[in-house]
Amino acid sequence: MEKNKKGIGLTTQIFIALILGVVFGYIFPTYGQALKPVGDTFIRMIKMIVVPLIFSSLIMGIAGTGDFKKLGRLGAKAIIWFEVATTLALFVGLAVANIFQPGAGVAIATGADVSSAAAAATKTIDMTQMLVNIVPTNVVDAMGRGDMLQIILFSTFFGVAAAGMGEKGKPVVTLAISVAEIMFKFTWYVMKLAPIGVFALIAFTVGKFGLGMLIPLAKLIGSLYFALVLFITLLLACASVIIRMNFFQLLRAIKEPILIAFSTASSEAALPIAMEKLEKFGVPKHIVTFVLPTGYTFNLDGSTLYSALAVIFIAQVYHIDFPLSTQMLMLVTLMMSTKGIAAVPGASLIVIAGTAAAFGLPVEGIGIILGVDRILDMARTACNLIGNCVAAVVVARWENELPDEVLQVAYTKNYDD
């Protein structure tokens, strides 16, 4: 990104827009709701960047490296870290739900959307079919739908094939490099509109749902936000001990995409800018382009934590005894069911509904949290982003591709541009 030499930085602009959006939506709810098309337009502008950026970056990273053994090693290390992080997320969600009892005292009739809950209960995720669906039958269709897992698989094979062609494949690799650089420049242009998009999205959310809706479920919201902050703190502490680096400097570097993820509740909206910030931090491009998209499929820490907390919340609302032994079995179920479902619409809702039904809990309990789901989604989306950025840095350090001298330079950089 080019430096913003005049005026306040983009991160500050986004934060101000976030605050002003809340105030505007609260004072002028009708006008706030009318701003929804503005926010939706910004999200669509971001999403149109994601597919060509991921496709070109993966080809560039894989073919540019040309080391397939290294690629396999990257994948193995990434998956190991993903599993460690999501397991930690599940246990933190479990602990916070049991200690703070967010479902205690919540009236069952509070805004319960029974029809939506019932609809979610009728849907199931067939894990076998999901694995089959990873392979695209039509890559153009996969790109049109934004099916990230299918795009990643195709791009990986394409990059391997391009590298295997040697000299004949170089023109395609060169083209991919050019496309990736153009998309990063494209991102820079679009991000100039981020404060407007954030203002509109937050104004719409507050204008439509109001701040009064937060009161009955304040304990659930507070519990989730506390759990996510606790998880991120523990994750950063563990990572810092293992690979000996100051991860709070990383948070400083990615504060802009964190704000984007939080305010838009969209992982895709924050992905391009997160990739650029990580590269500026010093993480090699081939690691960023491999770990980050893969993590958005297999390492949804915030969503995983939320699923565990929500299931126990439902049990507490209905005063159903849910012993620790059953909760541990629930964690194993969620550990498997939350992997690779990012492309499924309403995946978190379906996972929670399916898990609740499997353990004899009333699925209608989901209707209670639907009214504040947007507020919850903002926090878990930001957590998903932080978790995947940490994963990229951890893998880079494990591969010895982010040495101490590079980090020392990264710590002194100005990322607010």
Side-chain angles (χ1 to χ4, degrees):
M1 268 191 184
E2 296 178 10
K3 290 187 176 180
N4 183 8
K5 296 180 180 179
K6 295 182 180 180
I8 58 178
L10 183 59
T11 304
T12 307
Q13 293 177 32
I14 293 171
F15 183 75
I16 293 173
L18 186 67
I19 301 301
L20 292 178
V22 172
V23 175
F24 185 86
Y26 179 71
I27 299 175
F28 308 107
T30 303
Y31 292 111
Q33 292 181 62
L35 290 175
K36 185 177 188 295
V38 178
D40 289 344
T41 301
F42 173 69
I43 295 294
R44 291 173 72 93
M45 291 180 71
I46 289 287
K47 286 185 175 181
M48 71 180 175
I49 298 170
V50 173
V51 172
L53 178 61
I54 296 300
F55 180 66
S56 58
S57 296
L58 274 172
I59 294 171
M60 175 178 59
I62 294 170
T65 304
D67 187 346
F68 305 141
K69 183 177 179 181
K70 182 177 181 178
L71 183 65
R73 191 171 65 244
L74 276 177
K77 289 180 178 178
I79 289 172
I80 290 172
W81 182 255
F82 292 165
E83 193 58 44
V84 169
T86 52
T87 301
L88 176 62
L90 285 169
F91 277 102
V92 170
L94 182 74
V96 170
N98 280 282
I99 293 172
F100 289 95
Q101 300 280 318
V106 176
I108 295 177
T110 304
D113 188 340
V114 179
S115 60
S116 297
T122 61
K123 300 178 182 178
T124 57
I125 297 175
D126 187 332
M127 299 300 290
T128 303
Q129 189 58 42
M130 187 187 72
L131 291 174
V132 172
N133 290 339
I134 291 175
V135 181
T137 56
N138 184 338
V139 69
V140 176
D141 175 61
M143 290 181 173
R145 290 182 290 103
D147 192 324
M148 199 59 66
L149 197 53
Q150 291 188 355
I151 295 169
I152 291 171
L153 183 69
F154 178 82
S155 302
T156 301
F157 273 99
F158 193 96
V160 169
M165 290 294 290
E167 289 295 323
K168 291 183 178 180
K170 281 190 176 180
V172 174
V173 178
T174 302
L175 176 63
I177 294 173
S178 297
V179 171
E181 294 300 327
I182 290 171
M183 295 315 297
F184 278 123
K185 187 67 174 179
F186 195 159
T187 301
W188 184 77
Y189 290 137
V190 173
M191 289 308 297
K192 289 296 181 182
L193 302 173
I196 299 173
V198 166
F199 175 84
L201 286 165
I202 294 299
F204 163 74
T205 300
V206 176
K208 181 177 180 180
F209 299 106
L211 297 178
M213 67 166 185
L214 306 180
I215 298 174
L217 296 175
K219 198 172 181 182
L220 172 63
I221 297 169
S223 296
L224 178 65
Y225 275 63
F226 173 78
L228 292 174
V229 170
L230 176 62
F231 164 73
I232 291 170
T233 303
L234 292 175
L235 185 72
L236 293 177
C238 292
S240 298
V241 170
I242 294 172
I243 61 178
R244 296 173 184 173
M245 69 164 282
N246 184 357
F247 272 94
F248 291 100
Q249 297 291 343
L250 173 65
L251 292 181
R252 181 176 68 87
I254 62 171
K255 59 183 181 295
E256 194 174 300
I258 290 174
L259 276 174
I260 293 292
F262 179 80
S263 56
T264 64
S266 170
S267 297
E268 288 179 327
L271 181 58
I273 188 66
M275 293 174 69
E276 185 172 356
K277 292 296 184 182
L278 282 174
E279 286 186 42
K280 188 173 181 180
F281 187 73
V283 182
K285 186 182 289 289
H286 68 277
I287 292 180
V288 172
T289 56
F290 180 80
V291 175
L292 224 58
T294 308
Y296 271 119
T297 303
F298 294 105
N299 188 43
L300 300 175
D301 299 330
S303 299
T304 301
L305 186 154
Y306 168 69
S307 298
L309 191 148
V311 172
I312 298 176
F313 170 81
I314 293 173
Q316 293 170 352
V317 167
Y318 286 90
H319 307 288
I320 296 174
D321 183 41
F322 206 49
L324 186 59
S325 57
T326 308
Q327 292 182 28
M328 298 304 295
L329 184 60
M330 177 202 70
L331 291 192
V332 175
T333 303
L334 287 174
M335 201 175 294
M336 295 184 292
S337 61
T338 53
K339 294 291 188 295
I341 59 168
V344 180
S348 293
L349 197 64
I350 298 171
V351 167
I352 295 168
T355 306
F359 288 89
L361 302 177
V363 179
E364 293 77 12
I366 294 176
I368 300 173
I369 61 177
L370 285 179
V372 294
D373 189 62
R374 169 78 183 190
I375 305 298
L376 303 176
D377 196 18
M378 291 163 66
R380 63 181 185 251
T381 301
C383 182
N384 290 341
L385 171 76
I386 295 172
N388 285 311
C389 289
V390 170
V393 174
V394 168
V395 172
R397 290 284 281 177
W398 274 353
E399 285 289 291
N400 296 318
E401 295 195 44
L402 188 58
D404 291 336
E405 52 268 26
V406 173
L407 284 176
Q408 292 305 318
V409 174
Y411 292 163
T412 63
K413 288 180 180 176
N414 174 29
Y415 297 95
D416 193 13
D417 52 36

